[in-house]
Amino acid sequence: MSKYVRRIIPFGSGDIPAVQRWLEDMAEKGLLFKECGLLFAKFTKGEPKKMRYRLDFCDVVACDIPDEKKELYEQSGWQVAGDYNSDLVVVCTDEPDAPEIYTEPELLVKPLKKIMYKYMAFTIAFAIIFLIAFERFGGSVLTFITACYTLPYYVFSCLVLLLLVIETLFNAVRCCRLAVMARRLKKGKDIPTGERYGFRRAVGKALIPIAVPVIIAWVVFMLLPADLIEDRHISDPSTLPFPTCEDFGWSYNSELMFAYESTGTFGSKSYTLGQNGDVSFRTDYYEGLSAIAKRASEERIEQLKIYDEQGYNSVMQGRAEAESRGYEVTKEIPTRIIYEYDIDGAHVFYLCGDHRIVGFHRQYIIVRYENKYIEVSCESTDMYFGEQIPRYISLLKGAK
């Protein structure tokens, strides 16, 4: 049976009080510190002892601690046990009367700041790779709800993003804790001893070992192609849950038609239809979460308002410039009809404009009811499409 055991390192180099307390707790269990690697610390099995452990700074390279430093510790009743992450010297004593090795705590401020900068670099690195992954996933909180990814890909992506956030916060907290300790030492105060760090120990044991696997998972995530749920092509528009060109008596070119159904990760459905012939006709329909229907419809309405305002201003500016140069300008002013209201629990928006060519109208209707909304646009028709609003309200209210 081996006389050594390994334990996951639960604390970073800068968390000096917690590391010292952890090593003392291990000694009371009969495990005496021997050496420390990247993720694991090695202990020698022995009799339980009441020990004091302290961490000090010096040039530590491959456990080569200067002899004069060792002699100085021994003169004070301390023995060098090894190094901690090549950042700190670990010394210990079983003599209760041995003097503390920290005679001038403020001298620890400068080396502590070096470790703090290391954690700061880790924090920035994790934050950057999180933003890269977040942008690839969609770059919006809305994406998490409206995503059309397969469930395994969605779960894996969310897990990677969550772990990146946790690692970023974990390193940021470690950095802040070091800054607080540096200020404490700068004021001449001692490093605290004797405190319990049970919660932080559990967190560190969970997060420190997974830092590298999280980065590997991020690389895999970036290399994997997005596993989208494929849209279902619809060849027969009569199966759609809303009116089509045929319902309005318009002919269209079936070869130019496109129609498909999309299913979200959480069961939401959306349909898109485009038909061209007597008119240019398009319908977008969504059914899923109320918050998404509301947000998506509001964003689209705002886009159309901006489009209408910009188009109208552009035409009017062009007319003014033409008149100033002596050109003859038609007296007919471009049409602008826009209104928005709520009725019987439904939100309605209508826009009609002919900014590009006078007489060439494009009309938009957006109706939202509870967790559903529909957007309809048509072009090249003299029909006032606003009279169809009650029909679309009834359609959404009757949808199951």
Side-chain angles (χ1 to χ4, degrees):
M1 183 179 293
S2 174
K3 64 177 183 177
Y4 300 111
V5 295
R6 295 180 182 274
R7 293 291 184 267
I8 295 174
I9 298 173
F11 304 106
S13 301
D15 211 345
I16 294 176
V19 174
Q20 292 175 167
R21 182 67 198 190
W22 176 56
L23 296 179
E24 290 169 359
D25 289 344
M26 298 301 286
E28 290 179 359
K29 297 176 182 178
L31 300 178
L32 305 178
F33 178 80
K34 179 175 176 59
E35 60 185 34
C36 178
L38 181 63
L39 298 177
F40 296 92
K42 189 175 182 180
F43 295 86
T44 303
K45 293 180 182 179
E47 294 296 324
K49 286 185 179 182
K50 185 72 175 178
M51 302 282 289
R52 278 193 294 160
Y53 280 89
R54 295 294 180 263
L55 275 65
D56 198 5
F57 292 93
C58 75
D59 295 328
V60 180
V61 180
C63 300
D64 184 17
I65 300 167
D67 291 336
E68 59 271 18
K69 192 75 172 179
K70 292 181 182 180
E71 292 177 4
L72 186 61
Y73 291 135
E74 290 172 359
Q75 291 172 7
S76 301
W78 295 82
Q79 299 293 325
V80 175
D83 73 284
Y84 195 85
N85 280 344
S86 298
D87 292 322
L88 302 158
V89 178
V90 180
V91 296
C92 64
T93 182
D94 57 2
E95 298 179 16
D97 298 328
E100 286 291 341
I101 64 171
Y102 303 128
T103 55
E104 297 180 81
E106 60 272 14
L107 296 179
L108 299 175
V109 174
K110 187 175 180 180
L112 267 179
K113 285 186 175 180
K114 289 183 179 180
I115 299 178
M116 182 180 70
Y117 294 145
K118 179 174 71 173
Y119 289 150
M120 190 180 297
F122 290 160
T123 302
I124 294 172
F126 274 111
I128 290 174
I129 64 177
F130 165 76
L131 291 175
I132 294 172
F134 184 67
E135 183 64 29
R136 188 178 188 278
F137 190 69
S140 167
V141 176
L142 192 64
T143 308
F144 287 91
I145 307 172
T146 60
C148 293
Y149 300 116
T150 59
L151 190 58
Y153 180 84
Y154 180 87
V155 171
F156 174 70
S157 302
C158 290
L159 181 61
V160 170
L161 291 170
L162 176 62
L163 290 174
L164 287 172
V165 169
I166 291 174
E167 286 289 344
T168 302
L169 295 176
F170 177 62
N171 283 283
V173 169
R174 293 204 291 182
C175 188
C176 293
R177 191 177 293 123
L178 271 173
V180 171
M181 185 182 295
R183 285 197 298 268
R184 175 189 176 94
L185 295 176
K186 197 172 184 180
K187 293 178 181 178
K189 296 182 179 180
D190 293 329
I191 293 178
T193 59
E195 298 181 22
R196 295 286 179 179
Y197 302 93
F199 176 74
R200 277 161 54 183
R201 182 182 303 181
V203 173
K205 287 177 69 174
L207 297 182
I208 291 177
I210 67 171
V212 174
V214 167
I215 295 175
I216 294 173
W218 172 74
V219 173
V220 172
F221 169 74
M222 296 300 295
L223 294 177
L224 276 177
D227 194 4
L228 295 169
I229 299 175
E230 293 186 4
D231 296 333
R232 183 176 69 87
H233 177 71
I234 298 174
S235 56
D236 183 5
S238 64
T239 61
L240 293 167
F242 47 75
T244 66
C245 278
E246 293 175 333
D247 296 302
F248 295 109
W250 298 325
S251 62
Y252 65 92
N253 187 336
S254 59
E255 294 182 358
L256 299 178
M257 184 196 82
F258 60 88
Y260 52 86
E261 173 190 0
S262 300
T263 303
T265 304
F266 298 106
S268 62
K269 287 186 177 297
S270 59
Y271 300 89
T272 299
L273 168 69
Q275 295 174 305
N276 290 280
D278 293 344
V279 300
S280 177
F281 184 76
R282 178 181 173 118
T283 302
D284 292 280
Y285 177 93
Y286 170 85
E287 181 175 353
L289 298 174
S290 299
I292 302 305
K294 184 175 187 295
R295 180 168 177 176
S297 60
E298 287 177 347
E299 288 181 352
R300 183 57 179 153
I301 288 171
E302 189 61 30
Q303 291 172 357
L304 290 175
K305 287 180 178 178
I306 294 172
Y307 157 77
D308 175 65
E309 188 69 24
Q310 291 177 342
Y312 182 80
N313 291 341
S314 177
V315 170
M316 296 307 291
Q317 183 180 353
R319 286 169 60 90
E321 291 178 355
E323 287 180 336
S324 66
R325 296 176 182 176
Y327 293 103
E328 185 177 349
V329 185
T330 176
K331 295 181 179 180
E332 187 175 356
I333 302 297
T335 301
R336 280 185 90 193
I337 305 174
I338 183 170
Y339 52 78
E340 188 173 2
Y341 60 90
D342 293 304
I343 181 172
D344 297 333
H347 187 78
V348 176
F349 173 82
Y350 174 82
L351 169 66
C352 176
D354 60 2
H355 308 145
R356 290 177 293 175
I357 303 175
V358 175
F360 191 68
H361 305 290
R362 186 161 188 84
Q363 303 179 67
Y364 298 87
I365 291 175
I366 294 179
V367 179
R368 183 185 74 247
Y369 179 75
E370 294 181 347
N371 66 331
K372 300 172 284 292
Y373 86 88
I374 190 167
E375 177 186 347
V376 186
S377 62
C378 61
E379 198 172 87
S380 307
T381 176
D382 293 329
M383 171 186 175
Y384 168 57
F385 212 62
E387 65 186 17
Q388 299 297 321
I389 289 174
R391 180 177 186 176
Y392 284 109
I393 294 175
S394 298
L395 182 150
L396 294 186
K397 286 186 174 183
K400 296 182 180 180

